[in-house]
Each structure stands twice: as structure tokens, then as C-alpha cells.
Amino acid sequence: MNSGKTSSKALRLLSKPPARAYRSHPIRAASQCSVPGPSKPPHERPHFPCVDAHAARESRIISSRSSSSSASTSSGPEPPYARPNPKTYKVYRHESPLPLVYADPLPSFDIAYETWGTLSPRKDNVILLHTGLSASSHAASTDLNPADGWWEKFIGPGKALDTNQFFIICTNVLGGCYGSTGPSSVDPATGSPYATRFPILSIFDMVRAQFCLLDHLGIERLYASVGSSMGAMQSLAAGWLFPERVGKVVSISGTARSSPSAIAMRFAQRSVLMADPNWKKGFYYDSLPPHTGMKLARQIATITYRSGPEWDLRFGRKLRKLPEADAAALAQVDRARPPALCPDFLIETYLDHQGEEFCLKYDANSLIYISKAMDLFDMTAPALAELRLDPPPPREGPPPLPPSLSAHPASPAHAQYHHLLSHSKSHPPPPNPPLHLPDLAAGLRPLANTPVLILGVQSDILFPVEQQREVADALRIAGNQMVSYYELGGVWGHDTFLLDVQNVGGAIRGFLS
């Protein structure tokens, strides 16, 4: 090709103005609300509602602070994080120091909790339910708080966590902002919020705090420890720390070793949050919270909670509906719809909505601290040894009987029940095991005699199903003959544990009962 050679005549032809000028239809910068008619001035600055929303939100926060200036401000001007009404959850105050993995002991702490069902006279029907990263203790509605909880369809009479049989306890984790002690709590030593003076936490610290609550309630043993997402990590950690006190473990869409991909996703969330000028290195409680960073962090998180196939089915490449005036003006000039730089595709509007809904409901420092605790979670033997965590021996006694059997004298049904739990007599290592699998098996040895249910979801991109297979393989290699493992299909991704009542709920109900 001789594309490099262009005659001067051709250049002159190209430089001539076209025969038809488009001065009446100037090119417009992409925006969300610009009317596609010809009357708009050519040099008018475009309008970006998605950017203006941050300033509008900030104005609302300032206005709210001004209107409540006469009220007490001891808790700071930050939003109330959509806490359940304090009258609807209980608070346990632990006055003695709590040892921490990475820091000096926490002098004292509060744990917010709610309960469902009836505690048996022998206190042997207790299930400890662990939450995900940002959930409160309000897992289901109660008489005091009839609002639906985050696991409403899984808790109640005849449901997965059957309140006719079990007494369920759910706490807000240590480090949270829904009633338990966290960075937004007042440091007794200073009289001001801890902010980033709060100590770095581990998943093991959170579980130890929960067991302080159980001690206070006089509960020696759990029938089961149940959790999803970060709660699945806590559930495994509970069985590891207290093998004799935890009868069964349910781990849903979790892991025993945070992967680099999950760490990267959470790091991106913390990065945009900490880059918000309002974050102020964590000391924002006497001023505006980092609401813009929180919105962006939630948008990133939401991408990891669902799956691409669901986005395709739910949104496809559909665009938001134009305002009637804009649609009419566009029809008059017979022109293609101008793209917008603000949310235009439905998937963009969905992410924008999710970020907007969340950004003032949760404490930014709690998000930073708890997500970091998830990153640090690693139950391989070398990692546990580095933390100076001495593995306890596996439980010696048999697993607990369900309430339907424990109320009756010993019978052949008891032996049959334990036989059903022990369905995996041997399990060879997988054909292409990850290099860390032997270390993980060694680390999980304290769970060798604890029945464990593991659920994975094939469309989960935050905790890919390979991580749940890995936990099942490691437990079996460690000698656990009571591992139940199931993989679920569907397109809901990581959030399947919140949505798939039939399959997730059915597996839990069968394992517990």
C-alpha cells in the first residue's frame, strides 16, 4: 500500500469544508440530562448529575448536623449507620481484657446480639450464627423489631434454622458499628472515638469475643456454628479454637485461606475509601464522613457479590429510560440517542443505587478493619504457627444428637445417626492439589472429629468454588470422616447464600436435623 504518499491536490480537497454544514447541530459533550435538541448553546458546560450527587449528599449531611446541633453530639456527627433501634438488641459488656492476635489486649468491649427460639433446660440446642462483613445482629424479625432481618427466610419455625428446635444467637462482630465495639466507639482512655487507633483485629479475635458472650449466658457448648461469607470463616475458626464446645460447623461460600484475588478486591475498596479527603486518616468523626469513598467502595463490592451471567439476564445492555422531554426532543430531530458519561446502562444505574444506599449506613473504619481481618485469615499450619496460635486437639466425644433424638434414651437410632454423618470413610487427595493443601490439612487437624457442612456456589467470583472444595479436601485429608460438601448452581454468585432458600436452606436443615 502507498498510503504514505498523498498528492497535494488530495490534501487540498480534504481541507475544503464539506458542502453541508452542521452548525445548527453542534456536537455535545456526553451528559445525562442534556436535551438532544438543536437549541443548546455549543459551549455550554455539560451537566453530570452523578457527580453533583456527591455535593448534594454532603449538603444534606451538613444540613442534618445543623438541625440537630442542639442535641447531644457525644457520638459525633457521623450518620447513625442504620443501626437497629438499641432497644431491640441486647448488649453484653465484657469488663476484662480480651487478648488479641496482632495487638495488646482490648481493655473492655461490648457485643450486641439478638436471639430467636427457646433455650432448652440443658442449654444444648444453641446455634451461633455468624454474619458477613457489614451485617448487624438483626438476622430475622423479632417481637421488638418486626423489620425483616438479613437472613429472614432462613430463621423461624420449620425453616433452615428451626426455632422450634434451636436457640439461635447472632452478634454484631467485634469491630463493627451496629452496637458492638469498633473504631467508631469511644475509647475509654481518651473519651473520643478510637478511629484508627483501634487495634487491628483477626477473625479469631472476633470469635473469642463471641465466646465471652456465650460464657456470660452460661452456654458451655454449641449445637452448631453457622456462617456464610466472612461468617463461614468465623464458623471454621470457632470449631478450630473450641473443638469440644462446637458440635457442628456450617461453612457457606467461605474459605479457610483468603486468596490473592479476594484480597485484591477488598484492597481496591479500601483504597478508594482511604483516598476520600473526608477520611482524614480515620479521624472524621467530628466532621463529614467519607461518603464518596464509601459509595465507590460499595460499587466495587457489589460487582464481586453477583455474577456476569446474572447481569446478562437481569440487565443485558439495556439503557435507562430517558425523561419524557428528552425522548420527545430526540424524536423531533431524528437522531440517535446521545451516550451519557453518568450512569446510562441499567447495570450502571444499579451499581450507582447500591452505592448510594450503603454509603451512609455503615462506618468507613469498620469496613476497613473488618475487610482487613478477612484478608489476614489463613488456617494453614505455618500461618497459624506464625500467629502463635497453638492448635488444640480434636474433640474426643461424639458429635451432638439433634434435639429430636437427644430427648430420648439411647437407642439404635443414635448409632444410625452417627453412621449417616460418617459417609466419607476415606478421601484421596485431588489430582492437581494446590501446593498449600498439605499445610491447610495440617492446620485444620483440630476439626478432624467435628461434622462439617461446606457449601460452594459455582458462579461465586469472590469466594470461587475451588476454595470450598479445598476446605473439604483438607478436612478429609486431616482425617475428618464427617464432611458433607455440596456445590450449588445458579447465577446469583456470592449472594446465593442470601437468596437460594430452597437449596441453601435445605442443605442446612438436613445437616442440622
Side-chain angles (χ1 to χ4, degrees):
M1 294 178 66
N2 295 323
S3 58
K5 295 181 180 180
T6 306
S7 67
S8 59
K9 181 179 180 181
L11 288 173
R12 287 195 301 272
L13 290 172
L14 289 172
S15 65
K16 289 183 178 180
R20 183 183 178 187
Y22 288 91
R23 287 189 295 271
S24 62
H25 305 297
I27 296 175
R28 296 182 306 280
S31 65
Q32 181 167 338
C33 293
S34 54
V35 178
S39 60
K40 192 170 182 178
H43 301 296
E44 180 181 332
R45 287 195 174 187
H47 177 44
F48 295 100
C50 57
V51 178
D52 297 338
H54 300 306
R57 187 187 317 113
E58 191 158 301
S59 296
R60 291 196 302 271
I61 297 171
I62 294 173
S63 175
S64 175
R65 288 177 58 194
S66 299
S67 63
S68 60
S69 58
S70 59
S72 171
T73 57
S74 60
S75 62
E78 76 280 2
Y81 309 128
R83 293 185 180 97
N85 187 316
K87 296 179 181 178
T88 70
Y89 61 74
K90 300 176 182 178
V91 178
Y92 163 62
R93 176 73 173 173
H94 191 76
E95 296 290 357
S96 57
L98 175 72
L100 302 177
V101 169
Y102 295 106
D104 293 334
L106 191 64
S108 61
F109 63 90
D110 292 341
I111 289 291
Y113 69 100
E114 295 180 53
T115 65
W116 300 263
T118 303
L119 185 63
S120 66
R122 293 189 293 179
K123 298 185 178 182
D124 59 355
N125 67 332
V126 180
I127 292 176
L128 179 60
L129 176 61
H130 307 275
T131 73
L133 189 158
S134 59
S136 72
S137 60
H138 192 63
S141 54
T142 63
D143 291 338
L144 291 175
N145 186 354
D148 283 357
W150 56 267
W151 231 29
E152 184 73 27
K153 296 181 179 179
F154 293 82
I155 300 173
K159 297 182 180 179
L161 301 188
D162 187 356
T163 51
N164 288 334
Q165 298 186 67
F166 302 112
F167 181 68
I168 296 102
I169 303 173
C170 183
T171 78
N172 179 224
V173 297
L174 187 68
C177 59
Y178 292 148
S180 294
T181 297
S184 62
S185 302
V186 173
D187 180 355
T190 66
S192 301
Y194 280 101
T196 44
R197 287 188 295 255
F198 196 72
I200 297 293
L201 297 175
S202 73
I203 297 294
F204 297 100
D205 299 330
M206 298 174 185
V207 171
R208 284 197 177 108
Q210 292 171 321
F211 273 74
C212 290
L213 167 64
L214 296 179
D215 292 340
H216 167 71
L217 297 175
I219 296 169
E220 177 60 28
R221 288 181 173 83
L222 293 174
Y223 180 78
S225 173
V226 177
S228 306
S229 190
M230 184 186 78
M233 299 178 175
Q234 294 174 283
S235 190
L236 288 170
W240 190 93
L241 286 169
F242 307 102
E244 293 293 350
R245 297 186 66 179
V246 178
K248 297 181 179 183
V249 167
V250 177
S251 178
I252 306 166
S253 295
T255 184
R257 174 183 175 271
S258 281
S259 67
S261 62
I263 293 171
M265 293 173 186
R266 288 188 287 266
F267 170 73
Q269 296 173 52
R270 292 194 297 271
S271 294
V272 298
L273 176 51
M274 296 166 75
D276 187 323
N278 286 333
W279 184 61
K280 299 177 182 178
K281 298 183 179 180
F283 292 85
Y284 52 81
Y285 294 106
D286 60 350
S287 57
L288 290 168
H291 54 92
T292 299
M294 281 292 281
K295 178 174 180 176
L296 298 177
R298 187 62 171 187
Q299 290 177 354
I300 296 171
T302 301
I303 295 170
T304 71
Y305 295 157
R306 308 304 271 259
S307 76
E310 186 199 4
W311 300 144
D312 252 339
L313 291 170
R314 189 172 176 183
F315 302 116
R317 290 181 52 82
K318 295 177 183 177
L319 300 173
R320 65 181 176 86
K321 184 179 180 180
L322 284 175
E324 289 185 7
D326 287 5
L330 192 63
Q332 288 178 1
V333 297
D334 190 24
R335 180 180 299 162
R337 171 176 172 154
L341 294 180
C342 277
D344 206 14
F345 289 100
L346 288 186
I347 180 60
E348 294 175 319
T349 65
Y350 175 77
L351 292 177
D352 185 73
H353 172 76
Q354 292 297 315
E356 191 69 34
E357 286 290 299
F358 182 77
C359 66
L360 296 178
K361 290 184 177 179
Y362 198 71
D363 180 46
N365 284 334
S366 283
L367 177 64
I368 291 170
Y369 272 79
I370 296 176
S371 68
K372 188 65 178 183
M374 295 175 70
D375 291 352
L376 295 169
F377 190 61
D378 185 349
M379 297 189 75
T380 59
L384 295 168
E386 187 175 342
L387 298 180
R388 313 300 192 266
L389 292 173
D390 296 326
R395 64 178 295 131
E396 294 182 357
L401 293 166
S404 58
L405 290 178
S406 62
H408 302 285
S411 71
H414 294 192
Q416 174 67 13
Y417 172 75
H418 289 137
H419 172 75
L420 290 174
L421 286 177
S422 306
H423 66 276
S424 299
K425 293 299 182 184
S426 63
H427 182 79
N432 297 302
L435 294 177
H436 58 266
L437 186 61
D439 285 337
L440 185 58
L444 293 178
R445 175 64 185 163
L447 288 162
N449 294 334
T450 302
V452 181
L453 170 65
I454 301 169
L455 296 181
V457 178
Q458 293 169 349
S459 57
D460 192 339
I461 63 172
L462 181 57
F463 291 88
V465 74
E466 290 79 13
Q467 294 181 26
Q468 289 89 57
R469 294 175 190 164
E470 180 182 281
V471 176
D473 289 334
L475 285 168
R476 288 165 174 164
I477 294 170
N480 193 319
Q481 299 179 358
M482 295 172 284
V483 179
S484 301
Y485 174 68
Y486 302 101
E487 283 184 17
L488 305 180
V491 298
W492 289 322
H494 185 63
D495 275 356
T496 296
F497 77 88
L498 296 169
L499 302 169
D500 193 346
V501 178
Q502 179 177 352
N503 292 302
V504 174
I508 296 171
R509 186 186 306 107
F511 179 74
L512 295 178
S513 300

